[in-house]
Amino acid sequence: GALFLGPGAGAGERQRSGVGSRTMSASIYSTKVDAESAMTTNGRDVELLPFVNDKHGGVIIEMTTPMDPQLFSASLKSLLSKWREQGIRGVWIKLPISLANLIQSAVEEGFWYHHAEETYLMLAYWLPNTPHTLPVNATHRVGVGAFVMNDKREVLVVQEKSGVLKGLGIWKFPTGVVEPGEDINIGVVREVKEETGVDAEFVEVLAFRQSHKAYFEKSDLFFVCILR
């Protein structure tokens, strides 16, 4: 439920050095590399894997079609050996969820999980015998709380339908999480509308706080915003 309260009312070793978290940006992708169609390993042809160069001296293997795990493993071994000789540093493998059967082969070669989204898993590997300098995955979640006041100086408060406050009779500000690519001022207006049906206008950020070891052990930034 939601209501406006009047003035003065209370509100009740696969991993070389450490795997972090920051989402890989599309900006790291560069010119497409035309891989040779095959190479010889142990007397037999081994198909090479599709890859692109990134802007930081590394490569990204982009798997899109099914492949036999043994052939994938042999191809990966060949490419890693070649790239090590060429001075390549970071190697990424982007695996769509439909090719999850190739994960074990990559991990056995020394790749670690970097991050996962709904449709793919990104694995990483560092070729030099030094601590890796690969960017980490996303480290924070951004939340918003709405201090909404109307012309009567009444403040909008809600009771939670689920979660730890469900059924306790506690009134609180509308809160929520900013979506990927969404600005804070847009996200807080959206959350108020979704939770209460009230149309509000963003005014300014009132305060923010930082906490750690929150949702999925990530850090959390929470912005309290004033709306009218």
Side-chain angles (χ1 to χ4, degrees), residues 157-224:
V157 292
V158 299
Q159 288 188 354
E160 298 286 5
K161 290 183 177 180
S162 61
V164 296
L165 298 181
K166 177 183 177 180
L168 298 182
I170 295 176
W171 294 94
K172 59 182 284 291
F173 293 156
T175 60
V177 178
V178 176
E179 296 178 350
E182 184 179 48
D183 292 335
I184 291 172
N185 61 311
I186 302 299
V188 69
V189 170
R190 174 186 53 76
E191 285 290 347
V192 169
K193 181 66 173 180
E194 290 177 356
E195 289 196 5
T196 70
V198 173
D199 294 307
E201 176 189 0
F202 173 84
V203 178
E204 62 182 347
V205 172
L206 176 63
F208 76 93
R209 67 103 176 95
Q210 182 182 30
S211 64
H212 303 287
K213 299 295 182 180
Y215 198 67
F216 289 125
E217 296 298 300
K218 301 293 185 180
S219 296
D220 185 86
L221 291 172
F222 185 81
F223 292 83
V224 180

Side-chain angles (χ1 to χ4, degrees), residues 121-138:
L121 172 68
M122 187 72 79
L123 300 104
Y125 185 73
W126 186 249
L127 287 170
N129 190 24
T130 60
H132 81 74
T133 59
L134 299 175
V136 298
N137 187 28

Side-chain angles (χ1 to χ4, degrees), residues 22-195:
R22 177 173 45 164
T23 315
M24 282 282 294
S25 167
S27 65
I28 67 173
Y29 291 89
S30 182
T31 309
K32 186 77 176 178
V33 175
D34 294 324
E36 308 155 52
S37 61
M39 68 182 296
T40 302
T41 299
N42 297 329
R44 65 188 184 92
D45 287 341
V46 175
E47 181 180 348
L48 289 183
L49 307 175
F51 65 91
V52 295
N53 288 330
D54 66 23
K55 297 179 180 180
H56 307 283
V59 294
I60 306 164
I61 298 171
E62 298 184 283
M63 299 300 298
T64 56
T65 57
M67 189 175 190
D68 177 80
Q70 291 184 336
L71 180 57
F72 174 77
S73 179
S75 300
L76 189 57
K77 287 178 184 290
S78 298
L79 283 173
L80 291 177
S81 177
K82 176 182 177 181
W83 289 334
R84 186 173 283 107
E85 293 175 356
Q86 293 176 345
I88 298 295
R89 300 182 301 169
V91 180
W92 305 86
I93 299 178
K94 185 177 181 180
L95 281 179
I97 194 169
S98 59
L99 302 184
N101 63 316
L102 302 180
I103 293 175
Q104 181 175 351
S105 297
V107 171
E108 288 175 351
E109 290 303 317
F111 282 81
W112 66 79
Y113 293 170
H114 185 269
H115 68 271
E117 297 292 345
E118 292 183 7
T119 59
Y120 75 88
L121 172 68
M122 187 72 79
L123 300 104
Y125 185 73
W126 186 249
L127 287 170
N129 190 24
T130 60
H132 81 74
T133 59
L134 299 175
V136 298
N137 187 28
T139 58
H140 286 68
R141 184 181 69 157
V142 178
V144 289
F147 187 116
V148 188
M149 183 179 292
N150 62 15
D151 293 338
K152 299 178 182 179
R153 297 183 61 81
E154 297 171 326
V155 177
L156 181 64
V157 292
V158 299
Q159 288 188 354
E160 298 286 5
K161 290 183 177 180
S162 61
V164 296
L165 298 181
K166 177 183 177 180
L168 298 182
I170 295 176
W171 294 94
K172 59 182 284 291
F173 293 156
T175 60
V177 178
V178 176
E179 296 178 350
E182 184 179 48
D183 292 335
I184 291 172
N185 61 311
I186 302 299
V188 69
V189 170
R190 174 186 53 76
E191 285 290 347
V192 169
K193 181 66 173 180
E194 290 177 356
E195 289 196 5

